[in-house]
Amino acid sequence: FAVKEYLEAALVSLRFQWRLRPIEVALHGSDELVIDSYPGALVQIVTNLLANSLMHAFPDDRRGRITLSLVDNGPWVSLTFADDGQGIAPEFHEKIFEPFFTTKRGQGGTGLGLAIVKRVAELTGKTKTTVAKLLEPDPEDETWPGSEELGPQLRALALPIRKLVRR
């Protein structure tokens, strides 16, 4: 399926989650990218990532930006999800994909959002074995998604997805 077109439609239906907040959500990438994956699973992943950013990265209706970037990497398309929110404390980086790990227990967080992201990606069988990883911004890397606009607080998750191979 045409991944950017599908994600654009999904973001329209998810807009209610941030429409009353000073949050900008942008999707970048080629309209020509076609992937061999499960559309529903991809929307589940994006939905959980959005919910996680909205809950954890932008407390107290803080202004912010969320960027989804699709990059053609040969046989793979990398989906990078980034926000310019308050970031994840370094001591939590290794724990964010563990089921029931949350820093918002009792405040609406269940600790399942990112665990579900990882598990859904693994179950689709269409991603590389290193499913998702936390990335820190590199100010020297001009190819880093949105680095010039989002600044030093940018945090991102990268998810490689196999492209459709036409025979």
Side-chain angles (χ1 to χ4, degrees):
F1 63 95
V3 65
K4 185 176 181 195
E5 179 183 341
Y6 195 82
L7 287 177
E8 285 171 340
L11 289 174
V12 167
S13 71
L14 295 170
R15 180 146 171 48
F16 75 93
Q17 293 184 27
W18 70 87
R19 71 178 174 86
L20 298 178
R21 297 177 65 185
I23 305 290
E24 178 185 338
V25 177
L27 174 62
H28 303 287
S30 169
D31 293 334
E32 307 302 315
L33 289 174
V34 176
I35 63 171
D36 176 22
S37 191
Y38 301 95
L42 187 60
V43 169
Q44 180 69 58
I45 288 168
V46 169
T47 299
N48 283 23
L49 290 173
L50 275 168
N52 188 275
S53 282
L54 293 170
M55 175 180 275
H56 296 282
F58 306 109
D60 305 320
D61 288 333
R62 179 181 150 186
R63 178 170 302 283
R65 184 168 181 188
I66 296 171
T67 304
L68 290 88
S69 300
L70 296 163
V71 177
D72 188 342
N73 290 325
W76 298 92
V77 171
S78 292
L79 168 62
T80 303
F81 182 97
D83 69 54
D84 65 347
Q86 65 184 12
I88 300 168
E91 62 267 29
F92 300 140
H93 287 190
E94 297 297 318
K95 299 177 181 179
I96 62 170
F97 295 109
E98 293 177 9
F100 305 108
F101 174 78
T102 183
T103 59
K104 299 283 186 186
R105 181 105 34 232
Q107 301 169 47
T110 62
L112 293 174
L114 294 181
I116 289 171
V117 164
K118 182 175 188 225
R119 190 67 179 138
V120 168
E122 290 170 346
L123 287 174
T124 64
K126 303 292 184 184
T127 61
K128 291 183 180 178
T129 52
T130 54
V131 172
K133 62 180 181 175
L134 184 67
L135 302 174
E136 293 292 337
D138 179 356
E140 306 299 317
D141 184 357
E142 295 176 9
T143 65
W144 223 80
S147 58
E148 66 283 350
E149 302 114 22
L150 296 178
Q153 293 300 317
L154 181 67
R155 301 293 186 271
L157 291 168
L159 182 70
I161 306 164
R162 187 174 300 283
K163 278 175 39 182
L164 181 62
V165 179
R166 298 186 188 212
R167 298 179 196 260

